Amino acid sequence: MSPEPTDAELVEACKRGSASAFETLYRRHRDWVVSLAYRYCGNRDDALDVLQETFHYLLRKLPDLELRAKLTTFLFPAVKHRALDRRRAATRMATLPAEEPVGAHGLPDDIRDIWATLGPPHREVLELRFVEGFALDEIADILHLPLGTVKSRLHYALAALREKIGER
């Protein structure tokens, strides 16, 4: 039995016109895209729309795509921006209850309260590291930040969480 092809191999097969390679990429990453989109936009229907938009984006980028990192590293900004656009559009169209900070879905109430005290840049680094499981250098690539900045934000966020948990 042959090992599963890597994302990079599938991207190259897609560039050669393989529809089955694109379908494999879609199946491999669709749940991750929907989960990430949902955390940013908070609506399942919108998250499913983001899924379709993200893979349409990938399809448009494939002819020139040179995958130098994991596909999720490439897709993360596309998912995030599309989901946040949908969230902003929904906010403009309706008055929503007080917004829960991005990434706080499913956290216990006491931790969600602490999470809300962190600034968006610190919450984002924590989410990418501990929810998405990205390595620090991948986070730097995703956010277009120096590695030192990512490390600093992560250090600050963890210290703030420890301090606030200790106060309770």
Side-chain angles (χ1 to χ4, degrees):
M1 183 166 208
S2 64
E4 292 240 351
T6 66
D7 287 347
E9 291 168 339
L10 291 169
V11 165
E12 291 304 314
C14 289
K15 290 165 74 169
R16 292 189 304 271
S18 172
S20 65
F22 187 79
E23 187 176 331
T24 301
L25 285 172
Y26 178 81
R27 282 195 198 130
R28 187 177 287 177
H29 297 289
R30 67 183 173 201
D31 293 340
W32 175 82
V33 170
V34 170
S35 174
L36 179 63
Y38 180 77
R39 281 197 302 277
Y40 278 99
C41 65
N43 178 293
R44 177 130 174 97
D45 290 336
D46 286 343
L48 292 172
D49 288 342
V50 169
L51 169 68
Q52 296 307 312
E53 292 169 9
T54 300
F55 277 91
H56 183 253
Y57 166 79
L58 175 61
L59 192 57
R60 287 191 330 266
K61 292 292 187 179
L62 274 173
D64 299 319
L65 180 61
E66 296 295 327
L67 197 60
R68 299 181 200 282
K70 293 191 304 188
L71 186 63
T72 52
T73 303
F74 173 77
L75 291 177
F76 184 90
V79 175
K80 175 187 171 187
H81 294 300
R82 282 162 177 76
L84 289 175
D85 285 347
R86 289 197 168 266
R87 184 181 182 124
R88 280 189 289 274
T91 302
R92 283 191 302 267
M93 298 179 114
T95 303
L96 299 176
E99 285 187 17
E100 191 173 88
V102 170
H105 301 292
L107 292 176
D109 288 342
D110 56 338
I111 300 297
R112 188 176 315 132
D113 293 343
I114 294 170
W115 184 269
T117 65
L118 297 173
H122 298 100
R123 288 193 308 254
E124 185 171 44
V125 169
L126 280 174
E127 181 177 341
L128 288 170
R129 181 71 181 117
F130 297 110
V131 176
E132 295 302 326
F134 285 111
L136 296 178
D137 59 331
E138 293 171 326
I139 296 169
D141 287 343
I142 289 168
L143 298 178
H144 306 291
L145 294 171
L147 181 58
T149 302
V150 170
K151 289 179 179 180
S152 173
R153 286 182 183 177
L154 183 60
H155 174 79
Y156 172 82
L158 290 172
L161 286 175
R162 283 185 198 105
E163 178 182 326
K164 293 185 185 309
I165 289 171
E167 291 172 2
R168 291 185 178 221

